[in-house]
Amino acid sequence: MESFLQENFDVRSKHSSTEVLERWRNLCGVVKNPKRRFRFTANLSKRHEADAMRKTNQEKLRIAVLVSKAAIQFLMGELLLNSDKLNICYITLFFVTFSHENFAGVSPSDYTVAEEVKAAGFQICADELGSIVEGHDVKKLKFHNGVCGIAEKLSTSITDGLTTSDDLLNRRQEIYGINKFAESEPRGFWVFVWEALQDMTLMILGVCAFVSLIVGIAMEGWPQGAHDGLGIVASILLVVFVTATSDYRQSLQFRDLDKEKKKITIQVTRNGFRQKLSIYDLLPGDIVHLGIGDQVPADGLFVSGFSVSIDESSLTGESEPVMVNAENPFMLSGTKIQDGTCKMMVTTVGMRTQWGKLMATLSEGGDDETPLQVKLNGVATIIGKAGLFFAIVTFAVLVQGLFSHKLREGTIWSWSGNEALEMLEFFAVAVTIVVVAVPEGLPLAVTLSLAFAMKKMMNDKALVRHLAACETMGSATSICSDKTGTLTTNHMTVVKTCICMNIKEIINTDGASSLLSALPESTAILLLQSIFSNTGGEVVVNKDGKHEILGSPTETAILELGLSLGGDFQKVRQALKLVKVEPFNSTKKRMAVVVELPEGRLRAHCKGASEIVLASCDKVIDSNGKVVPLDEGAINYLNAIIDQFASEALRTLCLAYMELENEFLPDNPIPVSGYTCIGIVGIKDPVRPGVKESVAICRSAGITVRMVTGDNINTAKAIARECGILTDGGIAIEGPDFREKKLEELVQLIPKIQVMARSSPLDKHTLVKHLRTTFDEVVAVTGDGTNDAPALHEADIGLAMGIAGTEVAKESADVIILDDNFSTIVTVAKWGRSVYINIQKFVQFQLTVNVVALIVNFSSACLTGSAPLTAVQLLWVNMIMDTLGAIALATEPPTDELMKRSPVGKRGNFISNIMWRNILGQSTYQFTVIWLLQAKGKSMFSLDGPDSNIVLNTLIFNAFVFCQVFNEISSREMEQINVFKGILNNYVFVSVLGVTVIFQIIIVEFLGTFANTTPLTLSQWLACISIGFLGMPIAAVFKMIPV
């Protein structure tokens, strides 16, 4: 099956094209119940609808954006050059005045405010707001006096945000709606019952039952003549309700997981305070804070910010980033912040946005089939076709036997009601053979196991976004992990500094006081200015009136240092005017700002990777606070300090500044050389507890762990050694060196690489690509930043960080690690292996039942002219092996033993030689026993008289069922002989076995009229149980045969 897939189809573990999936499904189209088999997989027709809608939207928005750009350039002309220096409100007002004075031909809007909007306290309606932003309508924006004018009409403040009185929020919701997308109604239990009834074979059996009822009642009257028909009906209903219950429970699990996926929070300002808020609680007028990697949560207008570029490709199809500023303030929901930071005022929410309409369609598109679902769909289809062939032959043989008998008696033209019922029973048996032979449960067991695992993984702090990742993680051979926040705690503090060429330890407030007293006053002022102005974080006052630091852990650590030195964040920021900001990104590895000092001079501040920033310095502040040239001795001294800090596993940052000429313009890039070094700080980020043990578990499991980080190589090596990642034979390499290697060198080098430092996102992507293609490994990659998206997309399993990760990274990932902990990644791998093995156990069990049931009925029909297992009995067997078997075997929890095996890898066969050995061994035993009972059963159990046939058939049916019960226990372990280990810990497995045995007793002892059985004696029961139990030691013997 795997080679067939590779040769004829390109069905991948992720990102398969819709055309490929359609071709594959068409091949597997002959199924008993397509609605059920493909329920939890991608709805390809809905995908086509979504794609068509997306193209329409893209064309509309693309035209609107182009028209808007042309209008802005036409209206503003050359005056755009100086606009960044103006306050946004004055810019938009100037924009209006300029337009009226110079373009009298532009007519004012004839917009009037609806009465209900006025009554609610607002001056603009939702449709007008939507048309302004979605249509990039410059004319309407100027008519409403720009961003500040719209803020006023929305009764909000661009500085303090919304006032959150319940009455005002309710009125705002009534007028403008809520930020939620329309979702399809959850399906109730009876919908699943109806879908289970769509099974073609069950419908045919239902027709058989109906005919049987009519003929039987006509022949024998009520109720005797109705027994056979009612037995089939009862069996069908039992199968349908058990199937529907299982499917309904799965749907509830997926619904819970979907809710978790949608939990996204964002920073907003309300009542003058910064706070976290769910994106679904946003309302027009909210002031939202956005940064690199954030997804714009609603349509809105730019309020303030620096260097903001947005990726609008998801909506417009344009790959070029769009610059957003006061002149082009339109921000669309669903787009992503590529660079910069800004404040945005929400204008349109939910289904009023184009993104909302698109998401409502896409939400019905479903998930791609997982690799195992694809393979098992193929296996089920092949076996189903074989089963159909055997069913037709069986029916033909049985009918031929009946016709031969009638020919001998010369009654070929005379048919009794009993003979018609017998013919009907033959047809029912043939249909039921198809029911049993088609392993419909194979691909559905994958869904059941994945749903169970995903729910449990959620409790273990791992949110699975794509089903396939669950099983693929079980085959992982390599993990490329970030350092910060994954291997370390991400709780950073500055513990060492080298300011004015002097090293100081900062263990507590005394350390900070000692540092401050040792600094010249001018240097202390300069240091605080650098800390508080050149930051992506912020110090705010929360609702309780306490200071709270917002920002990344690195920014928080630096700001904490500034506060501990007695600095006042707000005072420093108010004394300065930000002229230009170049935010930190993983490519530049630095952040820089230009500020205007109170006296009017311009100054640039820069911070970032120590060796990079230090290389851009040509001066340094000495111990006396004087600026002196940075000579070779000073450079060597500072590099030695960097190495010393790094070898102590400290993250190092260099702070620098430079005076600028007043001719500097905001459109100019901030200089990258000529700086004066203020100092170096060492930030402690402790290794997470349990990481070293988790790395050791990975190694014993055959999984190679590599650290890929943007940090200094000495810091990376120190942390890697502490975690147990860097071993004696391993190599630590820097990104720039890795980039320069030729392909032949990389082939020799990559297997030995354990640490990559100072890496760029492209380095990570290149490493992952080579591991997957050149070395055929199954690679899991962690990422948290926007630039990690390509590597997460390229990897077999993308793991995004739930706390530190950006929305862009999370969207590209397959699994979100909610606690950012490496140990959780190991748990995901363990669950992945558990899913893979559990499905193998179920497949082994089901194929055994398939083979035996098929051969027994086919051979009996051919040799004796009758089938020992009736339609009702076969339906019960089908439920044992299908739904109940999947529930029992596909939901086994993982054990620590799983992480002591080698990974399956990319080329491992799903149905292994071990499974074939077990299937053939158990099938041979069961077939031999059943055939022996058929041939010698009457003499073995001393059966004679008119009831001997029904007693013998009951014995065969009972023994066959108990063979499956004990085979189910044997299937818990495919290689180990002790199959009872931990069995009592799995209450689901024990419950399923208990229910199976109890129902079997009821069927045999009390439902004989409907199931064609008769009560058995105690000795006969013990004999059946013994026959089933004997399969366990035989299975154990076969497990000792090496394969």
Side-chain angles (χ1 to χ4, degrees):
M1 180 54 59
E2 287 176 34
S3 59
F4 176 75
L5 279 170
Q6 289 166 9
E7 289 169 14
N8 299 282
F9 297 88
D10 189 24
V11 183
R12 304 171 187 171
S13 59
K14 54 196 273 191
H15 314 308
S16 290
S17 70
T18 304
E19 291 72 25
V20 165
L21 290 175
E22 276 183 338
R23 282 199 301 124
W24 174 245
R25 285 199 194 169
N26 289 335
L27 185 71
C28 300
V30 185
V31 294
K32 294 193 298 177
N33 192 344
K35 274 193 175 181
R36 183 169 181 247
R37 185 184 287 189
F38 298 117
R39 178 187 297 122
F40 295 113
T41 55
N43 185 332
L44 300 182
S45 63
K46 287 290 183 184
R47 280 197 180 175
H48 285 306
E49 284 179 35
D51 288 340
M53 184 180 176
R54 191 198 294 273
K55 285 173 184 174
T56 304
N57 289 339
Q58 284 175 349
E59 191 57 29
K60 284 181 184 175
L61 290 165
R62 190 176 67 82
I63 292 168
V65 170
L66 293 174
V67 170
S68 167
K69 287 177 181 176
I72 290 169
Q73 290 169 3
F74 180 60
L75 289 171
M76 293 300 292
E78 296 299 320
L79 294 170
L80 289 178
L81 290 172
N82 298 312
S83 62
D84 283 336
K85 290 187 178 179
L86 300 174
N87 178 277
I88 180 168
C89 297
Y90 292 117
I91 290 171
T92 50
L93 284 172
F94 169 78
F95 180 76
V96 174
T97 308
F98 181 83
S99 304
H100 275 299
E101 289 176 358
N102 293 278
F103 300 96
V106 178
S107 60
S109 171
D110 56 359
Y111 171 70
T112 54
V113 185
E115 287 303 319
E116 63 267 24
V117 176
K118 285 182 180 178
F122 309 111
Q123 297 300 316
I124 188 168
C125 71
D127 289 339
E128 181 76 355
L129 283 169
S131 67
I132 290 170
V133 178
E134 187 181 312
H136 288 54
D137 199 322
V138 180
K139 181 181 172 184
K140 284 186 179 179
L141 180 62
K142 76 177 168 67
F143 172 76
H144 291 289
N145 294 329
V147 177
C148 288
I150 288 179
E152 191 177 331
K153 291 180 178 185
L154 278 170
S155 299
T156 188
S157 163
I158 60 172
T159 54
D160 295 337
L162 294 181
T163 304
T164 55
S165 66
D166 289 340
D167 179 53
L168 192 58
L169 289 180
N170 289 336
R171 279 186 280 141
R172 200 176 289 273
Q173 281 187 10
E174 288 170 11
I175 298 296
Y176 300 110
I178 56 175
N179 198 33
K180 290 185 178 176
F181 309 136
E183 295 179 353
S184 56
E185 284 292 317
R187 289 184 291 184
F189 172 72
W190 293 106
V191 175
F192 288 93
V193 172
W194 174 249
E195 289 188 355
L197 283 166
Q198 305 303 304
D199 190 308
M200 183 59 67
T201 50
L202 292 184
M203 286 192 280
I204 294 171
L205 283 175
V207 172
C208 291
F210 179 73
V211 174
S212 178
L213 278 170
I214 299 298
V215 175
I217 292 171
M219 291 290 301
E220 302 178 37
W222 177 269
Q224 285 79 9
H227 289 157
D228 287 346
L230 288 177
I232 296 174
V233 169
S235 300
I236 290 171
L237 289 177
L238 183 63
V239 169
V240 164
F241 275 94
V242 171
T243 300
T245 303
S246 172
D247 290 348
Y248 180 61
R249 285 178 57 81
Q250 286 179 53
S251 76
L252 292 179
Q253 289 177 319
F254 283 123
R255 200 185 306 166
D256 290 342
L257 288 163
D258 281 339
K259 287 179 184 175
E260 289 296 330
K261 289 179 192 177
K262 292 172 183 174
K263 285 184 179 178
I264 304 170
T265 58
I266 202 154
Q267 291 276 345
V268 301
T269 295
R270 281 189 174 181
N271 296 322
F273 298 108
R274 281 274 289 268
Q275 54 194 278
K276 280 188 175 180
L277 195 71
S278 167
I279 63 168
Y280 303 108
D281 294 329
L282 289 177
L283 292 168
D286 262 319
I287 303 301
V288 178
H289 301 260
L290 299 169
I292 297 176
D294 285 336
Q295 181 170 299
V296 179
D299 285 2
L301 293 168
F302 174 90
V303 174
S304 63
F306 294 93
S307 309
V308 180
S309 66
I310 287 187
D311 175 11
E312 293 187 343
S313 59
S314 57
L315 281 176
T316 65
E318 295 290 334
S319 57
E320 281 295 313
V322 176
M323 296 303 297
V324 174
N325 45 42
E327 294 78 40
N328 179 32
F330 309 106
M331 302 178 75
L332 296 172
S333 176
T335 58
K336 284 114 183 157
I337 308 292
Q338 262 196 351
D339 202 2
T341 56
C342 70
K343 286 202 299 184
M344 179 192 85
M345 180 176 68
V346 175
T347 57
T348 317
V349 293
M351 290 305 294
R352 293 182 185 275
T353 67
Q354 282 299 321
W355 183 251
K357 294 167 190 170
L358 187 63
M359 289 305 293
T361 309
L362 283 174
S363 64
E364 301 182 42
D367 229 350
D368 287 349
E369 283 96 323
T370 73
L372 283 183
Q373 282 174 329
V374 169
K375 292 172 189 173
L376 294 178
N377 266 325
V379 170
T381 302
I382 292 168
I383 295 176
K385 288 176 180 177
L388 183 62
F389 169 76
F390 278 103
I392 292 170
V393 172
T394 302
F395 179 68
V397 168
L398 291 172
V399 170
Q400 184 265 337
L402 179 62
F403 270 81
S404 298
H405 175 72
K406 290 183 72 61
L407 277 171
R408 283 195 302 271
E409 293 184 349
T411 57
I412 190 68
W413 302 111
S414 173
W415 288 79
S416 66
N418 285 332
E419 287 169 335
L421 283 174
E422 194 175 355
M423 178 77 82
L424 193 65
E425 175 64 20
F426 292 163
F427 183 71
V429 168
V431 172
T432 314
I433 284 176
V434 177
V435 174
V436 176
V438 178
E440 196 84 356
L442 289 183
L444 296 172
V446 179
T447 309
L448 177 65
S449 187
L450 291 173
F452 173 77
M454 287 167 72
K455 186 74 175 173
K456 294 293 185 182
M457 285 164 71
M458 186 70 219
N459 298 332
D460 289 337
K461 303 296 181 186
L463 173 60
V464 178
R465 293 187 72 251
H466 299 133
L467 276 176
C470 228
E471 66 186 47
T472 309
M473 193 66 193
S475 308
T477 58
S478 181
I479 298 175
C480 296
S481 173
D482 282 339
K483 176 184 75 67
T484 305
T486 308
L487 299 170
T488 60
T489 60
N490 217 15
H491 295 146
M492 301 190 189
T493 49
V494 177
V495 295
K496 274 192 173 184
T497 64
C498 176
I499 311 291
C500 297
M501 308 292 280
N502 293 323
I503 297 175
K504 290 282 182 182
E505 285 196 27
I506 304 175
I507 306 300
N508 47 38
T509 52
D510 293 338
S513 301
S514 172
L515 171 62
L516 185 62
S517 62
L519 293 177
E521 185 180 354
S522 60
T523 305
I525 292 171
L526 188 64
L527 176 62
L528 292 174
Q529 189 185 96
S530 178
I531 289 172
F532 290 142
S533 65
N534 187 22
T535 179
E538 196 172 350
V539 181
V540 298
V541 178
N542 60 24
K543 292 180 181 178
D544 302 324
K546 296 179 181 177
H547 282 95
E548 184 179 349
I549 301 175
L550 303 173
S552 68
T554 306
E555 296 287 11
T556 301
I558 301 291
L559 289 172
E560 278 179 348
L561 172 64
L563 294 176
S564 68
L565 293 173
D568 185 327
F569 179 84
Q570 297 299 339
K571 186 178 177 181
V572 172
R573 291 295 284 260
Q574 287 165 11
L576 304 170
K577 181 182 177 184
L578 281 175
V579 176
K580 186 177 178 70
V581 178
E582 288 184 358
F584 179 89
N585 67 45
S586 54
T587 305
K588 297 181 296 186
K589 300 196 184 299
R590 57 195 287 160
M591 175 184 182
V593 298
V594 175
V595 296
E596 186 179 320
L597 303 176
E599 59 270 25
R601 291 186 296 112
L602 296 178
R603 178 177 290 164
H605 286 283
C606 177
K607 77 174 179 202
S610 297
E611 61 270 33
I612 292 173
V613 175
L614 184 60
S616 67
C617 295
D618 56 14
K619 295 179 284 294
V620 66
I621 301 176
D622 67 9
S623 55
N624 299 317
K626 292 181 180 179
V627 176
V628 298
L630 190 62
D631 57 23
E632 190 176 343
I635 290 173
N636 292 337
Y637 174 76
L638 289 172
N639 278 323
I641 296 296
I642 293 169
D643 290 342
Q644 179 191 329
F645 285 8
S647 63
E648 295 170 17
L650 301 183
R651 189 176 199 178
T652 63
L653 290 179
C654 182
L655 309 179
Y657 80 101
M658 73 181 296
E659 305 294 349
L660 295 175
E661 299 293 334
N662 283 347
E663 287 76 21
F664 178 84
L665 295 173
D667 286 344
N668 296 346
I670 298 176
V672 293
S673 60
Y675 284 90
T676 301
C677 177
I678 300 172
I680 293 160
V681 295
I683 302 171
K684 181 71 174 174
D685 185 12
V687 171
R688 284 184 183 272
V691 166
K692 188 170 185 178
E693 293 78 5
S694 297
V695 171
I697 290 171
C698 285
R699 188 166 283 117
S700 67
I703 302 171
T704 304
V705 181
R706 294 176 173 87
M707 178 198 288
V708 184
T709 178
D711 250 350
N712 177 290
I713 191 165
N714 291 321
T715 307
K717 284 162 72 174
I719 295 287
R721 285 197 185 94
E722 194 175 341
C723 296
I725 293 173
L726 186 59
T727 58
D728 293 338
I731 291 175
I733 191 171
E734 288 188 313
D737 295 337
F738 178 78
R739 263 167 257 155
E740 292 172 2
K741 301 292 183 186
K742 295 178 181 177
L743 181 60
E744 299 78 24
E745 295 175 291
L746 288 176
V747 170
Q748 299 297 321
L749 186 68
I750 286 176
K752 299 174 185 175
I753 292 177
Q754 293 176 339
V755 176
M756 187 186 290
R758 287 291 179 236
S759 66
S760 69
L762 184 60
D763 296 330
K764 185 188 276 192
H765 182 269
T766 304
L767 176 64
V768 171
K769 192 172 182 180
H770 277 299
L771 285 170
R772 290 188 69 238
T773 55
T774 310
F775 298 94
D776 223 16
E777 295 208 36
V778 179
V779 185
V781 172
T782 71
D784 53 17
T786 306
N787 291 327
D788 287 325
L792 291 170
H793 190 273
E794 173 69 29
D796 295 287
I797 313 103
L799 306 162
M801 300 298 109
I803 300 170
T806 63
E807 286 306 315
V808 172
K810 291 175 188 176
E811 197 176 83
S812 300
D814 304 297
V815 181
I816 298 173
I817 307 301
L818 298 175
D819 60 357
D820 290 13
N821 194 339
F822 183 81
S823 299
T824 305
I825 297 172
V826 178
T827 304
V828 173
K830 188 191 291 185
W831 270 107
R833 291 189 174 196
S834 175
V835 165
Y836 195 88
I837 299 254
N838 285 347
I839 296 168
Q840 281 187 314
K841 293 174 187 175
F842 172 69
V843 169
Q844 175 184 297
F845 169 70
Q846 190 174 45
L847 289 182
T848 303
V849 187
N850 281 136
V851 169
V852 176
L854 202 62
I855 293 176
V856 163
N857 262 24
F858 175 71
S859 59
S860 296
C862 292
L863 297 173
T864 67
S866 64
L869 300 176
T870 66
V872 173
Q873 292 168 359
L874 282 172
L875 282 173
W876 170 236
V877 169
N878 179 66
M879 196 166 70
I880 292 173
M881 73 171 188
D882 195 330
T883 307
L884 295 179
I887 292 171
L889 290 169
T891 56
E892 283 267 356
T895 62
D896 292 335
E897 297 298 315
L898 290 174
M899 297 304 283
K900 294 177 182 175
R901 306 178 182 183
S902 297
V904 176
K906 198 173 282 186
R907 300 297 175 194
N909 289 324
F910 176 71
I911 303 181
S912 62
N913 291 337
I914 290 169
M915 291 171 67
W916 282 123
R917 177 197 65 194
N918 296 341
I919 291 168
L920 292 173
Q922 191 64 215
S923 299
T924 303
Y925 165 70
Q926 289 186 22
F927 178 71
T928 303
V929 166
I930 300 300
W931 186 249
L932 195 63
L933 283 173
Q934 268 197 295
K936 305 289 184 182
K938 288 185 180 180
S939 59
M940 287 169 62
F941 287 94
S942 304
L943 301 176
D944 51 22
D947 293 335
S948 60
N949 283 334
I950 192 170
V951 172
L952 179 61
N953 284 344
T954 303
L955 281 167
I956 291 170
F957 167 58
N958 207 29
F960 182 67
V961 169
F962 275 100
C963 279
Q964 309 324 316
V965 169
F966 288 103
N967 183 33
E968 204 164 350
I969 298 172
S970 294
S971 297
R972 289 187 72 240
E973 287 289 344
M974 290 188 291
E975 296 180 72
Q976 302 297 321
I977 291 175
N978 182 6
V979 294
F980 293 101
K981 185 178 179 181
I983 192 171
L984 296 178
N985 297 330
N986 187 355
Y987 69 92
V988 175
F989 186 89
V990 175
S991 301
V992 168
L993 280 187
V995 167
T996 304
V997 171
I998 290 168
F999 264 87
Q1000 180 64 16
I1001 293 170
I1002 292 170
I1003 288 169
V1004 170
E1005 295 294 319
F1006 305 106
L1007 298 178
T1009 309
F1010 301 99
N1012 296 101
T1013 59
T1014 189
L1016 300 176
T1017 64
L1018 181 62
S1019 61
Q1020 289 170 339
W1021 271 102
L1022 290 173
C1024 292
I1025 293 170
S1026 300
I1027 288 169
F1029 180 78
L1030 188 60
M1032 291 183 67
I1034 287 175
V1037 170
F1038 273 99
K1039 285 176 185 177
M1040 290 188 283
I1041 300 173
V1043 290

